[in-house]
Amino acid sequence: MIELRLDKFLKNSRLIKRRTLAKEVAGQGRITINGNPAKASTVLSIGDELVIRFGQKIVTIEVIALKEAVKKDEAQNLYKVISEEKVN
């Protein structure tokens, strides 16, 4: 089974463009995995639920695949969006 860090998954899935930015977002406490605060180094598993806060938006996704290298057009196959809500 492949193990992938949170920051690398976010970059590979194109949810966050750069790995350094993914580390920053996690460091600010804006990401939870299965309800627990996540660090950039947290190892993900298939089926994990991520809640990410992007500015005025909260996105909840489920991890459905983990891959080391992903082509741009395959990136969206790594996760499923469960919900997306705007925050004031």
Side-chain angles (χ1 to χ4, degrees):
M1 189 182 105
I2 191 168
E3 288 191 345
L4 211 56
R5 289 168 45 117
L6 174 63
D7 56 349
K8 190 157 187 185
F9 173 80
L10 292 171
K11 179 190 163 291
N12 286 354
S13 65
R14 312 290 200 280
L15 285 164
I16 295 180
K17 297 258 189 293
R18 294 186 319 276
R19 195 163 170 183
T20 50
L21 187 61
K23 286 180 182 176
E24 239 174 71
V25 171
Q28 294 167 352
R30 292 170 28 197
I31 303 174
T32 61
I33 300 175
N34 301 325
N36 302 313
K39 293 182 181 171
S41 61
T42 304
V43 176
L44 291 177
S45 302
I46 292 172
D48 282 347
E49 187 175 284
L50 274 63
V51 178
I52 308 166
R53 183 177 180 131
F54 294 102
Q56 301 302 308
K57 190 167 74 170
I58 294 179
V59 180
T60 304
I61 64 158
E62 181 185 343
V63 177
I64 42 180
L66 297 171
K67 289 185 181 175
E68 281 290 332
V70 184
K71 291 187 172 91
K72 191 176 182 179
D73 55 345
E74 294 173 2
Q76 291 182 324
N77 298 340
L78 298 179
Y79 63 93
K80 176 174 73 177
V81 176
I82 297 170
S83 71
E84 215 172 299
E85 55 186 277
K86 286 202 178 285
V87 184
N88 296 333

